[in-house]
Each structure stands twice: as structure tokens, then as C-alpha cells.
Amino acid sequence: MAGLSVSLVRGAVTSPFKRPGRPGATLPTGRAVLPPGRAAPAPLAAYRRICGFTEPDVLPLTYPHVLGFPLAMRVMTGRAFPLPVLGLVHTWIEITAHRTPRPADALELSVYADELTPHRRGTEVTMVTEARLAGDLAWESRSGYLSRHTTATAASPHAAAPTDLPAVAEWRLPGDLGRRYAAASGDRNPIHLHPLTARLFGFPRHIAHGMWTVARCLAEAAAAAEAGVGAAEGTDGRIRSVRADFRAPVLLPATVTYAAAGSAFEVRGTDRVHLTGSITREAD
């Protein structure tokens, strides 16, 4: 994670000099690439524990995104990247596995910035991560990251009230969850680590990582499907793709509910939905 640490320092230094919303801003071209390599066993085990994954013979669907995160940070902290990386908020993610990723796979990872778009609360960038095996695309993700700033468009109100998806599990999230996930994933964005550092970016307290929340949902969906809970008929088989939208931050500590029916799932609190999503499965 040495390269990620360097990127975090570079991001802290360069962020104050970047002005989101600047007219005519463009994205850097090219890709950041990591040569083929296997997932290190110890970090993978730590990641499985914190997220709740139990299958030992496959990589969690979200894990290539974690492996590619240092590359994403390299791109987003570069001089040519127009948004300040400090305070970026993950807004959505789509992941597709074109084949089942295995721990022994030597994946070549690449990341590039694909799109810069206006958002009601600022400017959003789409980042793409790809994992190739022997030259073939094996896995890919697209993610939206929001840089918040004043815009001419009024922000929408808080996330909608909880829907009627049936509750499957209740999770009690400790105050140190962000620091524990950061240790396992390398994502040390200060909005996740401590109330004081989160307040610097407009949050009343530190918030759970969006990628932890998605990963925990996928682990719960796998367990629930195996037990026949919260899954519709015909949804057996490994999860091949997921779309998740982050509706409202989860302030730590917290107690939240995981709810699911068929392909749909959500994480909700007492008065708002934090995350909504859907999955697709394929029989092996």
C-alpha cells in the first residue's frame, strides 16, 4: 500500500489548489496500469472478515475494485485531474464479473477517468476499473465520485423514507468501522476515519465506506440465498453483477437494516434509505 500512501499525501497537498466546477475542466487521458498479479492472502483474508464473505475459492465481487483503488487514487491525485480528491463522495457503482474471479488469478488492473458531469450538489466524475486475465476482460466496474460545491441547481431533499422491502438482518456498526475497513482496504479517506476529520468536509460525524456497505450487502445476499431468505425463486448461483446507489451517508456508530427481495436490496435506518441496489446471478 506504499503507492496508495504516496497518493494520499499528494492528494492532501494538491486538493486545496483545485477548484471544482471550473468551466472547461477536462479529464486526464490514458490509464494507470498494474501488471498481472495475484491477491495477497493476508489482506484478502482481512477484507473477507470485515465484510462477511465466506467463500474461500473465489474473490469477493468487490475485491478487484479494492485492488484497483491505488490506481484510481494515482489518477485522481494527479495534476491533470480537475477535482480535489479530499472529500470526494462515492455516489454509485456498477460491477460486472465476466467470469468468476479466483484468488489464484493473475489479474492485470487498469483504471481511467471516463466522464465529468454536473451534479445537483457539485461535479461528478466516472471512474472505470478493469481487470484482465491473460488479456481478456474478466471484471469491470464503473463508479461515480462527487466533489461537492455550490451549483445553480437546488439540491434535492434527504433520501426517501424506507420502502417495503422485507427486513433480512440488522447490523450494528461500531464507531471504529471506518478505521477497520480502511486498514483492510487501504481507503483512508478522512471522512471515514474520525468525527473531527469528517467535520472538515461537512459531515457531522465520520461515515461508513460506501464500498464496505456494498460488500456487506453482497455477503449478506449470498448467505441469505443459501439459507433461502430474502431471495426469489430462481436466484441461486453466484452474483455476477451489482448496481448500488448511495442515497444518504451512514453516520457512525449506527444500527441499520439490510432488506431484500428478489434481485433488489437496500440498507436503511429508522428514517431514511442509505443505499439501494440490485443484483443479477448466473448458475455455475
Side-chain angles (χ1 to χ4, degrees), residues 99-124:
R99 51 161 293 170
T100 301
R102 307 282 180 180
D105 288 343
L107 298 175
E108 178 189 77
L109 297 167
S110 64
V111 174
Y112 62 95
D114 184 55
E115 190 176 9
L116 198 64
T117 56
H119 187 279
R120 65 183 183 277
R121 291 180 177 172
T123 301
E124 187 177 78

Side-chain angles (χ1 to χ4, degrees), residues 47-54 212 215-216 219-220:
Y47 180 83
R48 282 189 174 122
R49 284 193 300 270
I50 192 69
C51 298
F53 291 106
T54 59
W212 177 86
R216 188 68 188 89
E220 192 73 52

Side-chain angles (χ1 to χ4, degrees), residues 4-262:
L4 181 54
S5 298
V6 171
S7 292
L8 288 168
V9 171
R10 185 168 62 240
V13 172
T14 60
S15 286
F17 300 98
K18 296 187 177 183
R19 297 291 180 264
R22 176 171 52 87
T26 59
L27 290 170
T29 58
R31 297 172 179 240
V33 179
L34 188 66
R38 296 176 174 84
L44 175 57
Y47 180 83
R48 282 189 174 122
R49 284 193 300 270
I50 192 69
C51 298
F53 291 106
T54 59
E55 288 185 288
D57 61 333
V58 300
L59 282 181
L61 184 65
T62 48
Y63 199 61
H65 183 89
V66 172
L67 295 176
F69 186 68
L71 298 178
M73 285 294 294
R74 187 188 308 172
V75 173
M76 291 190 290
T77 59
R79 182 175 298 179
F81 192 78
L83 304 178
V85 70
L86 291 185
L88 280 182
V89 178
H90 205 171
T91 50
W92 58 270
I93 187 168
E94 296 175 346
I95 300 175
T96 301
H98 299 289
R99 51 161 293 170
T100 301
R102 307 282 180 180
D105 288 343
L107 298 175
E108 178 189 77
L109 297 167
S110 64
V111 174
Y112 62 95
D114 184 55
E115 190 176 9
L116 198 64
T117 56
H119 187 279
R120 65 183 183 277
R121 291 180 177 172
T123 301
E124 187 177 78
V125 62
T126 299
M127 301 294 296
V128 179
T129 304
E130 296 180 348
R132 296 181 181 274
L133 186 62
D136 295 328
L137 184 63
W139 177 102
E140 60 185 317
S141 73
R142 297 178 63 85
S143 290
Y145 293 93
L146 173 65
S147 179
R148 299 187 299 174
H149 59 83
T150 302
T151 68
T153 303
S156 64
H158 288 311
T163 66
D164 58 356
L165 287 179
V168 175
E170 183 180 86
W171 303 336
R172 295 186 178 182
L173 312 184
D176 67 347
L177 176 63
R179 294 187 291 276
R180 291 168 55 202
Y181 181 79
S185 68
D187 183 352
R188 291 181 172 84
N189 188 323
I191 64 176
H192 304 301
L193 302 182
H194 192 274
L196 180 59
T197 55
R199 283 191 209 104
L200 296 175
F201 299 97
F203 296 95
R205 299 198 305 275
H206 54 312
I207 65 175
H209 289 74
M211 284 308 299
W212 177 86
T213 312
V214 173
R216 188 68 188 89
C217 287
L218 295 181
E220 192 73 52
E226 185 176 353
V229 178
E233 183 179 357
T235 59
D236 56 334
R238 290 197 177 101
I239 297 170
R240 296 301 189 194
S241 67
V242 61
R243 163 78 190 210
D245 292 275
F246 306 105
R247 303 294 186 183
V250 179
L251 301 176
L252 297 173
T255 298
V256 297
T257 297
Y258 167 76

